[in-house]
Amino acid sequence: MHKCDVCRRRDAVYLRTYSGHKLCLPCLEKILARTVKRAIGESHLLEPRPKILVPIRPSAPAHSLAILALLSRVEKKFDATLGVLLPSQLRGREEVSRGIEYAGKNVKVEVIEANTPLPSTSDAVACIRFERAWSLHYARKWGADAVAFPVSRTCMNLIGVESLLSGRIEALSESLPILDWARPPVLASAYYIEAEALTAYAYLRGLHSSPLCNLYIPAKTPLLSIMGRRPELEFSSHKTIMRIAERLRGMERCIVCGGFTREGSICRYCEETGASQLFLSS
Ligand SMILES: [Zn+2]
Ligand SMILES: [Zn+2]
């Protein structure tokens, strides 16, 4: 058995492809928590004792639980309260209770249960915008200072490439680390974490959870076949996508989900999924 490259004491349980490091679970957790702290810190939005809403996204419950766990370790210092927005369809799952209990050891946690019908589309942009509109709606009700939206950098990049290839340029708002115009602001707390590491962390912490709906990103298969397992390409493409997305900041934004829109004040995704009717009342 290999020893962990960081502590050199415990047995390694995960090879992080991106860095080539063999890591034990506590060291993996420490490294990932540090990158979550960096993503949150760069926003310069949070006051001491913040109230942060963490949605357990129906399409990515494992990644959401992983971010909840990591955030609870970071926010311990800031005396934060984490609001866990839980779809009622996930209530009773063992790994969900485990994730909430784990976070609760470090910070104050409040569970906000939401009985929301899920959209029938598998379009990744439409689903993510629905989940964000849902999060914003409950964040305002709960009085949150920010939403820590759990989307991996890999997913953000794939949507970025997809929007460039398909000409759906408005979808580039999904690649931005902060939607600071949203009320409350939305932070992509896993902005520096690749999907693979989040999945591994969730699995090793016992937080693996199957999604309630599957996202479809058409660019995923061709892109991953070119990228292979070379995440450095992922990093450079990330910078390019970011630069383009930043230049679009002047675009009109949807009042429901906060994403860029070309159709007036409500985007076509929020119209299609019914998010506009469900969440506009807040
Ligand atoms: Zn270690
Ligand atoms: Zn919208």
Side-chain angles (χ1 to χ4, degrees):
M1 191 97 180
H2 286 284
K3 290 288 171 199
C4 168
D5 287 336
V6 177
C7 66
R8 302 195 181 277
R9 216 160 28 87
R10 290 176 287 258
D11 289 336
V13 289
Y14 172 59
L15 169 66
R16 195 176 187 189
T17 322
Y18 140 64
S19 62
H21 285 129
K22 297 187 246 353
L23 300 164
C24 68
L25 179 57
C27 289
L28 171 68
E29 182 170 68
K30 213 180 285 174
I31 290 169
L32 295 184
R34 214 181 291 147
T35 52
V36 167
K37 187 180 170 190
R38 187 173 154 210
I40 299 278
E42 279 175 3
S43 68
H44 302 295
L45 287 169
L46 296 183
E47 304 287 329
R49 306 180 68 189
K51 284 179 83 177
I52 306 173
L53 188 88
V54 187
I56 307 301
R57 292 175 47 217
S59 65
H63 285 184
S64 308
L65 290 169
I67 285 297
L68 174 68
L70 294 167
L71 205 55
S72 75
R73 295 184 59 89
V74 173
E75 290 301 329
K76 187 159 50 170
K77 291 196 192 76
F78 300 100
D79 198 14
T81 303
L82 299 183
V84 182
L85 182 55
L86 182 67
S88 54
Q89 297 93 325
L90 290 174
R91 184 187 18 175
R93 283 195 187 182
E94 206 181 305
E95 67 280 8
V96 172
S97 319
R98 195 180 296 130
I100 294 169
E101 196 191 313
Y102 183 76
K105 282 182 193 160
N106 299 315
V107 293
K108 286 189 282 301
V109 170
E110 287 178 28
V111 178
I112 303 137
E113 205 177 295
N115 188 5
T116 310
L118 300 176
S120 52
T121 176
S122 60
D123 179 279
V125 177
C127 280
I128 288 177
R129 285 193 177 200
F130 182 92
E131 290 169 333
R132 195 169 58 231
W134 170 68
S135 309
L136 283 167
H137 174 76
Y138 282 97
R140 285 190 289 268
K141 278 191 168 179
W142 184 61
D145 298 304
V147 173
F149 200 66
V151 188
S152 70
R153 194 196 54 224
T154 313
C155 182
M156 292 169 82
N157 280 349
L158 284 172
I159 290 178
V161 171
E162 172 67 28
S163 60
L164 291 174
L165 291 177
S166 66
R168 291 199 296 180
I169 204 79
E170 71 278 9
L172 277 170
S173 53
E174 312 316 299
S175 303
L176 289 171
I178 308 160
L179 301 187
D180 47 12
W181 54 78
R183 287 293 163 263
V186 178
L187 314 174
S189 38
Y191 185 59
Y192 293 110
I193 308 177
E194 71 279 18
E196 188 192 283
L198 264 189
T199 305
Y201 172 70
Y203 178 78
L204 293 166
R205 263 271 161 260
L207 305 175
H208 180 73
S209 198
S210 340
L212 293 168
C213 47
N214 289 307
L215 300 189
Y216 177 60
I217 307 175
K220 190 171 177 177
T221 314
L223 195 77
L224 290 183
S225 70
I226 302 166
M227 276 171 29
R229 293 176 71 81
R230 292 179 304 151
E232 61 274 25
L233 184 62
E234 203 185 321
F235 276 107
S236 55
S237 58
H238 174 70
K239 278 191 179 159
T240 312
I241 293 164
M242 274 299 305
R243 252 178 241 136
I244 300 169
E246 285 294 342
R247 298 194 82 144
L248 295 174
R249 271 185 175 267
M251 244 177 123
E252 193 161 0
R253 300 135 187 182
C254 172
I255 55 170
V256 184
C257 69
F260 293 147
T261 164
R262 292 192 286 188
E263 296 89 18
S265 58
I266 297 178
C267 74
R268 66 183 165 100
Y269 305 95
C270 285
E271 293 284 14
E272 276 165 27
T273 58
S276 50
Q277 281 98 52
L278 277 169
F279 307 123
L280 204 52
S281 56
S282 60

